[in-house]
């Protein structure tokens, strides 16, 4: 074997072989990591329409036959939009299995939905990680409305986030 | 049915903005593609959707994006065929050990560093529906890719295609892209088979069989295209249509086999004959519409999915900075060290590292696949798009800094490039993506 070839083999082993071994180690150790629970996807909303309609901003949502939440998740943070709801997305955060989000509706939608000004819709919920499909249980409330009772809701994930492979 | 008025309006706005921003970027010495990538982001929620949500909602309602995406994907399928066409495995063989070592290190260094970074980012930017292995492998593949066509364009603009730096860079970028796409194919298979009844080994067996048939069977038949071209000096419309049909059939096969349309079109390009005039002829036939019309749609579609607003707060910007740092250190540093150890002078080695660090459109293609299969989250997608923009943008000025023309003119081993496929690919005013 020539000196050049020997040097090449040594360099290749050090610069390519060793890092690949390192990669194997990284992949093995990474398996023990825990990522935030997945809430990404579309969730069908189940709630009492009468109580929902009693909330400011709730009439439009209550009148929708297939009210749903759409959640786009990035780690612990997510954006949430309500089907037939305000044309702006709420931002929220996950803490374990609890999630909180708040949304300030756009002015035109607030006017149309009879929200009044300066309203903020808040959502607090807990994910049941063992349910299949996953479900959420929590409350919807509207800030700056002391007389409004928060409305309980349940939501079931209809579109799983990982329809992996379907483009 | 698509709203034709809206679709044509969208295409017009995208084309106009891409040309304007691309021209501005050309004036500041950047490849046009960087401007077009930037224009796509301007049209998305990061700027237009943030500053004028009404106009954004009117121009790009969610219901209309499916048609825009379909058109842009056709463009990317043809583009990947052209990228494959420009790759010539013979070029690597000609550069021996140095190019093999440099190209392999330029893949493993960013790949391993990205996987290491994944240990930190996975609990912060992913969720439990994505396996760590898929996440880490995807990050590795995305960070180790090189934008072969942008690199060729930059080299052509600086008259470096025939230099030692240029030829080694081209050879390494070709190896990087082929390897990167193979790894990505594996990740897609891994993720798809996890959610299907088909065994991963059946899928991998099918893909290997398909690749072997293409390389050892179909490639011989494709030589007839070159023979006809050599005899007549042109290909008839029927033959060009047949070539396009073969690209689409190959793309459909890989999609059906469980990977992605783009692998098939890339492979079809890679096994095409590599005679320079033939390659130039085929590029001339296909690239004008692809590069000027369809790829800007892809940039716009990518921009519409990129929401820089998701990268908010000090913590998120720190993640973004880390991604850019790791991508640059891994790719630029890895390639530079390997080529320097292989005997290249340090400045030239730094120039090679800089060139290899350009990611351009190839990165966007990979990132879109990652977002489609949900292996990366929207926030991470946006960070990676910023990384692609940053690393592509920095290439030209950093190259001018570390390898001034004066230095390169004195560098040895100037070789003719007229008879290479890449010589055709990088001709002035041709593919810049």
């Amino acid at each position: 074997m020539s000196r050049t070839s020997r040097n090449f083999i040594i360099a290749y082993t050090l610069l390519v072989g060793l890092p690949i071994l390192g990669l194997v180690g990284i992949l093995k150790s990474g398996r023990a990591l825990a990522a935030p629970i997945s809430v990404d996807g579309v969730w069908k909303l189940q709630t009492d329409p009468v109580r929902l309609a009693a909330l400011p901003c709730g009439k439009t949502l209550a009148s929708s036959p297939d009210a749903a939440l759409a959640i786009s998740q990035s780690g612990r943070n997510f954006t949430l939009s309500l089907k037939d709801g305000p044309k702006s997305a709420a931002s929220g955060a996950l803490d374990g299995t609890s999630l909180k989000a708040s949304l300030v509706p756009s002015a035109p939608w607030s006017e149309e939905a009879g929200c009044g000004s300066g309203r903020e819709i808040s959502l607090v919920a807990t994910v049941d990680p063992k349910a299949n499909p996953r479900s959420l249980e929590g409350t919807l409330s509207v800030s700056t409305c002391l007389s409004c009772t928060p409305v309980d809701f349940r939501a079931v994930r209809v579109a799983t986030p990982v329809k992996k492979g379907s483009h | 049915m698509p709203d034709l008025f809206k679709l044509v309006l969208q295409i017009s706005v995208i084309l106009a903005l891409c040309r304007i921003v691309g021209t501005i970027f050309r004036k500041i010495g950047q490849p046009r593609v960087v401007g077009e990538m930037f224009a796509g982001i301007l049209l998305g929620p990061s700027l237009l959707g943030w500053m004028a949500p009404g106009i954004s909602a009117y121009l790009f309602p969610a219901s209309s994006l499916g048609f825009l995406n379909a058109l842009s994907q056709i463009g990317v399928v043809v583009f990947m065929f052209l990228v494959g066409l420009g790759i010539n495995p013979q070029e690597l063989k000609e550069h021996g050990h140095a190019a093999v070592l440099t190209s392999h290190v330029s893949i493993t260094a960013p790949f391993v560093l990205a996987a290491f970074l994944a240990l930190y980012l996975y609990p912060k930017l992913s969720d439990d529906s994505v396996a760590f292995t898929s996440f880490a492998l995807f990050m590795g593949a995305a960070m180790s890719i090189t934008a072969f066509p942008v690199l060729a364009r930059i080299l052509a603009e600086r008259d470096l295609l025939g230099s030692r730096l240029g030829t080694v860079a081209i050879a390494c970028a070709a190896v990087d892209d082929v390897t990167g796409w193979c790894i990505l194919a594996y990740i897609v298979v891994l993720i798809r088979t996890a959610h299907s009844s088909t065994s991963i080994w059946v899928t991998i067996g099918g893909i290997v069989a398909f690749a072997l048939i293409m390389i050892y069977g179909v490639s011989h038949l494709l030589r007839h295209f070159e023979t006809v071209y050599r005899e007549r000096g042109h290909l008839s419309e029927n033959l060009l249509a047949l070539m396009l049909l073969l690209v689409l059939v190959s793309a459909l096969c890989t999609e059906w086999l469980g990977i992605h349309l783009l692998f098939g079109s890339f492979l079809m390009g890679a096994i095409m004959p590599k005679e320079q005039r033939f390659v130039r002829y085929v590029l001339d036939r296909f690239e004008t519409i692809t590069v000027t019309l369809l790829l800007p749609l892809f940039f716009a579609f990518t921009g519409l999915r990129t929401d820089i607003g998701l990268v908010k707060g000090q913590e998120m910007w720190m993640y973004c900075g880390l991604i850019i740092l790791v991508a640059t250190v891994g790719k630029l540093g890895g390639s530079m060290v390997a080529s320097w150890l292989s005997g290249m002078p340090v400045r030239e080695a730094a120039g090679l590292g800089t060139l290899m660090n350009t990611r351009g459109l190839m990165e966007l293609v990979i990132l879109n696949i990652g977002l489609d299969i949900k292996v990366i989250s929207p926030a991470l997608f946006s960070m990676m798009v910023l990384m692609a923009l940053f690393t592509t943008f920095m290439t030209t000025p950093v190259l001018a800094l570390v390898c001034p023309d004066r230095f390169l003119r004195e560098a040895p081993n100037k070789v003719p490039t007229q008879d290479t496929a890449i010589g055709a690919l990088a001709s002035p005013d041709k593919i810049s993506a």
Side-chain angles (χ1 to χ4, degrees), chain A residues 49-62:
Chain A
V50 179
R51 290 186 63 193
L52 185 61
L55 274 183
C57 314
K59 276 181 193 147
T60 318
L61 286 173

Side-chain angles (χ1 to χ4, degrees), chain B residues 98-300:
Chain B
V100 171
L101 182 68
T102 307
S103 63
H104 288 187
V105 174
S106 73
I107 297 164
T108 49
F111 203 104
V112 174
L113 284 178
F116 192 68
L117 179 65
L119 286 172
Y120 179 66
L121 294 182
Y122 177 70
K124 296 173 173 64
L125 293 174
S126 191
D127 62 64
D128 68 357
S129 66
V130 181
F132 175 78
T133 306
S134 305
F135 182 79
L137 290 179
F138 182 84
M139 290 291 284
M143 287 206 192
S144 54
I145 206 83
T146 291
F148 182 73
V150 180
L151 190 146
R153 189 78 192 93
I154 293 171
L155 288 169
E157 278 173 2
R158 296 199 60 195
D159 192 26
L160 292 176
L161 272 177
S163 68
R164 176 173 61 190
L165 174 64
T167 49
V168 173
I170 287 297
C172 292
V175 174
D176 280 20
D177 276 6
V178 173
T179 314
W181 282 97
C182 288
I183 295 166
L184 188 67
Y186 175 72
I187 298 166
V188 176
V189 168
L190 203 68
I191 291 170
R192 281 188 166 184
T193 50
H195 295 263
S196 93
S197 54
T198 316
S199 153
I200 187 168
W201 297 111
V202 172
T203 308
I204 290 176
I207 294 161
V208 170
F210 174 74
L212 291 175
I213 292 168
M214 292 289 280
I215 294 166
Y216 295 105
V218 177
S219 66
H220 293 284
L221 300 175
L222 296 177
R223 285 182 195 159
H224 290 294
F225 284 116
E226 190 191 343
T227 309
V228 172
Y229 174 74
R230 219 182 305 124
E231 285 168 0
R232 299 182 193 164
H234 70 278
L235 294 177
S236 66
E237 282 182 6
N238 281 341
L239 280 176
L240 287 170
L242 177 64
M243 191 183 283
L244 200 53
L245 185 65
L246 288 172
V247 174
L248 297 178
V249 169
S250 176
L252 285 173
C253 286
T254 49
E255 178 72 20
W256 181 75
L257 283 166
I259 37 176
H260 196 282
L261 287 169
L262 301 182
F263 296 99
S265 57
F266 179 74
L267 183 59
M268 182 55 81
I271 62 168
M272 274 278 162
K274 300 296 176 190
E275 197 273 320
Q276 192 250 351
R277 276 167 299 179
F278 172 76
V279 171
R280 176 73 271 148
Y281 179 82
V282 176
L283 286 171
D284 281 343
R285 294 297 164 281
F286 289 121
E287 74 181 5
T288 306
I289 289 291
T290 309
V291 173
T292 56
L293 176 68
L294 299 176
L295 283 186
L297 304 186
F298 177 72
F299 294 128

Side-chain angles (χ1 to χ4, degrees), chain B residues 196-420:
Chain B
S196 93
S197 54
T198 316
S199 153
I200 187 168
W201 297 111
V202 172
T203 308
I204 290 176
I207 294 161
V208 170
F210 174 74
L212 291 175
I213 292 168
M214 292 289 280
I215 294 166
Y216 295 105
V218 177
S219 66
H220 293 284
L221 300 175
L222 296 177
R223 285 182 195 159
H224 290 294
F225 284 116
E226 190 191 343
T227 309
V228 172
Y229 174 74
R230 219 182 305 124
E231 285 168 0
R232 299 182 193 164
H234 70 278
L235 294 177
S236 66
E237 282 182 6
N238 281 341
L239 280 176
L240 287 170
L242 177 64
M243 191 183 283
L244 200 53
L245 185 65
L246 288 172
V247 174
L248 297 178
V249 169
S250 176
L252 285 173
C253 286
T254 49
E255 178 72 20
W256 181 75
L257 283 166
I259 37 176
H260 196 282
L261 287 169
L262 301 182
F263 296 99
S265 57
F266 179 74
L267 183 59
M268 182 55 81
I271 62 168
M272 274 278 162
K274 300 296 176 190
E275 197 273 320
Q276 192 250 351
R277 276 167 299 179
F278 172 76
V279 171
R280 176 73 271 148
Y281 179 82
V282 176
L283 286 171
D284 281 343
R285 294 297 164 281
F286 289 121
E287 74 181 5
T288 306
I289 289 291
T290 309
V291 173
T292 56
L293 176 68
L294 299 176
L295 283 186
L297 304 186
F298 177 72
F299 294 128
F301 186 72
T302 303
L304 288 166
R305 305 176 96 182
T306 306
D307 187 355
I308 296 172
L310 292 175
V311 190
K312 61 183 169 194
Q314 212 174 348
E315 196 185 5
M316 296 291 262
W317 280 106
M318 186 196 73
Y319 300 153
C320 188
L322 263 178
I323 288 169
I324 294 172
L325 182 71
V326 166
T328 306
V329 169
K331 197 75 187 176
L332 194 156
S335 316
M336 182 183 163
V337 169
S339 51
W340 177 66
L341 286 175
S342 303
M344 201 178 250
V346 69
R347 266 178 177 267
E348 243 182 295
L352 181 70
T354 307
L355 284 165
M356 298 298 287
N357 194 38
T358 188
R359 289 181 176 81
L361 170 61
M362 301 297 278
E363 181 73 26
L364 297 191
V365 173
I366 285 188
L367 294 179
N368 274 284
I369 293 176
L371 190 62
D372 284 339
I373 61 174
K374 297 200 177 238
V375 74
I376 52 171
S377 60
L380 184 55
F381 174 82
S382 300
M383 291 178 195
M384 297 287 277
V385 169
L386 286 177
M387 179 272 285
L389 258 177
F390 184 86
T391 53
T392 312
F393 188 88
M394 71 183 270
T395 303
T396 310
V398 174
L399 186 67
L401 194 72
V402 297
C403 281
D405 286 342
R406 169 183 50 81
F407 169 79
L408 289 168
R409 270 195 297 272
E410 292 160 9
N413 293 350
K414 191 90 175 169
V415 293
T417 55
Q418 298 309 306
D419 296 331
T420 62

Side-chain angles (χ1 to χ4, degrees), chain A residues 29 54 63 66-67 70 102 116 147 155:
Chain A
S29 61
S63 62
D66 48 7
S102 56
S147 60

